[in-house]
Amino acid sequence: MSNQLHLQQFQTQLADSISSNVFLKVSFGNYQGNEKELKNIYVRKVKIKRADMLSFTYRYKTRDIFKNFPIAEGITLISHFVSNDFKVCTLFTTEKEIILEHGKKQQISLREKSVSTAVQPTLAHNKEKKRLIKPTGKAYLQELKITDQEGNVFKNAQDKYRQINQYIEILSTLIKDLPADKINKVVDMGSGKGYLTFALYDYLHNVLKLNTGVTGVEYREDLVNLCNGIASGSEFKQLDFVQGTIEAYAVDGIDLLIALHACDTATDDAIYKGIKANAGLIVVAPCCHKQIRREMEKHKVKNDVSFLTKYGIFMERQAEMVTDGLRALILEYFGYKTKVFEFISDAHTPKNVLVVGIKSKGTKGVDGASETRRAEILEKIKETKAYFGIGYHHLERLFELDN
């Protein structure tokens, strides 16, 4: 049989398997084309907006690229790849495997192999992911325009939905360090529109089955009214939102304090409130870092990183690291074990660092590390300030550690 007949037969079997719903996937191998780092291409059938499509996964050395095509266009593209760029192509169906291979002397062979176990095709666009916050049956997700009434996540809300779930996944791990019967009060400082506040309440009550009160603190009164309305409509009876600043909020028996993207020194105010309330867990995602940057720009001390900080973007990043590094030291001073790590990919937001403080066992109130360790921390803060030309750090000043 000629090469052209082999190619035509493969294309016919491909089209027939798709139309008869026995198609599973196509796998390409032994790439001989011109794209550097392209290794393989995998094709499967998906349903997108009620339309059948062929989804192509281009697997490169360091990344994957996904493209979806209408069935006819996808079959044409597969035929192009199998004729030109790949030496091996395997069509997987529920009944058999069909392998087309370019051999020596430009000869093409076509062979079939039976399968021992039948596999049913799936049209799911993405692999089912384990989400702590499911999209269905959530009134608050509907009100916040994350999902429709059927629980489908809106296309323009996909990033926000992923962010919510990653946040809950991180917190779920951190919360394990707290005794379940000690998570009685949670405060979200600077709660904004409440996306993450609602999700955390949902997780604490409906997943962990805890009897925890949650409060969102927000300065903008319109958002406070909106969130309280959504909480009422969702029958989240132990969730409320109050209007006011972080600085003015009266702390009282907080077990978990959160402040995500509180601007500049508002993050320091939140950490201060958490420490004063003897919170078992403090989680902040800082934003802006203007106070320390202004200090560094004001004094312009010459040091080993001056060749970097003469550039505005590097000055900004250095100020962010110094600010959060000092915050971590101060948390340690008051008896917290600290962690600093990425919250979400910076493809979604550049403000993607979490600073976490976990209250060490045996420390109460503002009593913290040992006297020796506290002295070491104060010295390190002093040295850091001198090195970068920082007159003061706002959180340090709140505790009067610079006296």
Side-chain angles (χ1 to χ4, degrees):
M1 187 179 290
S2 69
N3 287 348
Q4 190 59 38
L5 286 175
H6 280 313
L7 290 170
Q8 289 177 356
Q9 186 177 351
F10 181 85
Q11 183 173 345
T12 298
Q13 293 193 76
L14 170 64
D16 289 346
S17 70
I18 293 174
S19 62
S20 60
N21 293 321
V22 298
F23 173 83
L24 293 176
K25 66 179 178 179
V26 167
S27 173
F28 292 97
N30 196 3
Y31 179 64
Q32 300 295 316
N34 297 320
E35 281 197 66
K36 291 183 178 181
E37 298 190 345
L38 179 61
K39 301 297 182 183
N40 312 93
I41 295 178
Y42 301 95
V43 186
R44 62 191 185 93
K45 187 179 177 183
V46 298
K47 189 177 288 292
I48 302 175
K49 295 183 178 179
R50 301 181 181 178
D52 289 340
M53 308 277 281
L54 288 178
S55 179
F56 286 64
T57 301
Y58 295 73
R59 184 148 294 170
Y60 291 83
K61 186 176 180 180
T62 59
R63 71 191 192 284
D64 289 347
I65 293 178
F66 305 92
K67 297 181 181 180
N68 301 313
F69 299 94
I71 297 295
E73 187 177 345
I75 291 175
T76 300
L77 187 56
I78 290 172
S79 299
H80 168 78
F81 284 138
V82 80
S83 301
N84 298 281
D85 297 331
F86 289 89
K87 295 300 183 182
V88 180
C89 179
T90 304
L91 166 62
F92 296 85
T93 74
T94 60
E95 302 165 345
K96 58 187 175 182
E97 297 175 9
I98 300 98
I99 302 101
L100 187 146
E101 186 171 5
H102 294 253
K104 295 180 180 179
K105 298 181 181 181
Q106 298 183 337
Q107 291 298 309
I108 296 177
S109 65
L110 186 68
R111 65 184 190 276
E112 296 183 1
K113 184 170 68 172
S114 61
V115 295
S116 57
T117 304
V119 178
Q120 294 303 311
T122 175
L123 299 185
H125 186 198
N126 295 308
K127 291 182 179 179
E128 187 68 23
K129 293 175 180 161
K130 293 182 179 179
R131 302 288 194 189
L132 292 175
I133 301 300
K134 304 294 184 184
T136 54
K138 309 289 186 183
Y140 70 91
L141 290 179
Q142 296 173 33
E143 292 294 331
L144 293 170
K145 310 302 181 186
I146 300 295
T147 68
D148 61 20
Q149 291 184 345
E150 285 74 41
N152 300 306
V153 180
F154 292 119
K155 185 176 181 179
N156 63 356
Q158 292 286 342
D159 284 350
K160 178 61 70 175
Y161 178 65
R162 281 192 292 269
Q163 183 190 52
I164 288 170
N165 270 282
Q166 187 168 2
Y167 161 82
I168 296 300
E169 286 169 12
I170 291 171
L171 273 182
S172 68
T173 301
L174 297 172
I175 287 172
K176 290 178 182 178
D177 291 327
L178 301 177
D181 60 346
K182 297 296 183 182
I183 310 177
N184 299 311
K185 182 64 176 178
V186 175
V187 176
D188 185 355
M189 299 283 197
S191 53
K193 203 172 179 180
Y195 294 104
L196 305 180
T197 326
F198 284 108
L200 179 57
Y201 182 93
D202 185 9
Y203 175 72
L204 291 172
H205 280 255
N206 298 320
V207 177
L208 297 185
K209 306 300 182 182
L210 299 180
N211 186 32
T212 304
V214 179
T215 295
V217 180
E218 172 55 44
Y219 182 73
R220 291 163 288 184
E221 189 173 3
D222 58 330
L223 293 184
V224 172
N225 294 334
L226 171 69
C227 290
N228 276 325
I230 295 174
S232 177
S234 302
E235 297 187 357
F236 287 176
K237 297 179 180 179
Q238 290 177 266
L239 172 63
D240 70 316
F241 293 81
V242 298
Q243 192 275 327
T245 64
I246 296 173
E247 182 182 12
Y249 184 77
V251 296
D252 183 21
I254 300 173
D255 301 300
L256 167 57
L257 182 137
I258 303 158
L260 302 185
H261 303 157
C263 189
D264 197 19
T265 57
T267 294
D268 296 312
D269 293 332
I271 295 173
Y272 174 76
K273 296 289 184 178
I275 293 174
K276 295 291 285 186
N278 195 32
L281 179 62
I282 297 172
V283 181
V284 298
C287 181
C288 300
H289 307 80
K290 294 178 182 178
Q291 186 255 317
I292 289 298
R293 179 171 180 172
R294 283 193 295 265
E295 288 287 304
M296 293 170 65
E297 290 175 335
K298 177 181 177 181
H299 298 101
K300 294 182 179 179
V301 171
K302 296 295 182 182
N303 56 33
D304 293 339
V305 295
S306 295
F307 76 101
L308 292 174
T309 54
K310 68 179 181 179
Y311 302 107
I313 183 64
F314 290 150
M315 170 64 84
E316 179 179 351
R317 292 176 181 175
Q318 187 69 72
E320 290 177 2
M321 289 189 289
V322 172
T323 302
D324 293 336
L326 290 172
R327 285 166 173 161
L329 280 173
I330 294 171
L331 278 164
E332 288 181 27
Y333 181 90
F334 288 107
Y336 286 82
K337 295 179 181 178
T338 57
K339 300 179 181 180
V340 180
F341 53 88
E342 189 177 64
F343 173 22
I344 57 174
S345 167
D346 59 10
H348 303 306
T349 173
K351 309 302 181 184
N352 65 334
V353 169
L354 274 184
V355 179
V356 176
I358 303 167
K359 191 69 172 177
S360 300
K361 294 180 180 179
T363 56
K364 299 180 180 180
V366 293
D367 294 329
S370 67
E371 185 174 344
T372 300
R373 178 58 182 151
R374 285 158 71 101
E376 290 174 351
I377 291 171
L378 290 179
E379 184 61 29
K380 177 57 67 176
I381 292 172
K382 181 179 178 181
E383 290 174 357
T384 302
K385 287 162 55 183
Y387 185 78
F388 288 102
I390 298 168
Y392 75 100
H393 185 290
H394 185 70
L395 182 57
E396 172 198 33
R397 180 159 290 182
L398 288 174
F399 283 109
E400 298 181 349
L401 298 180
D402 55 342
N403 289 343

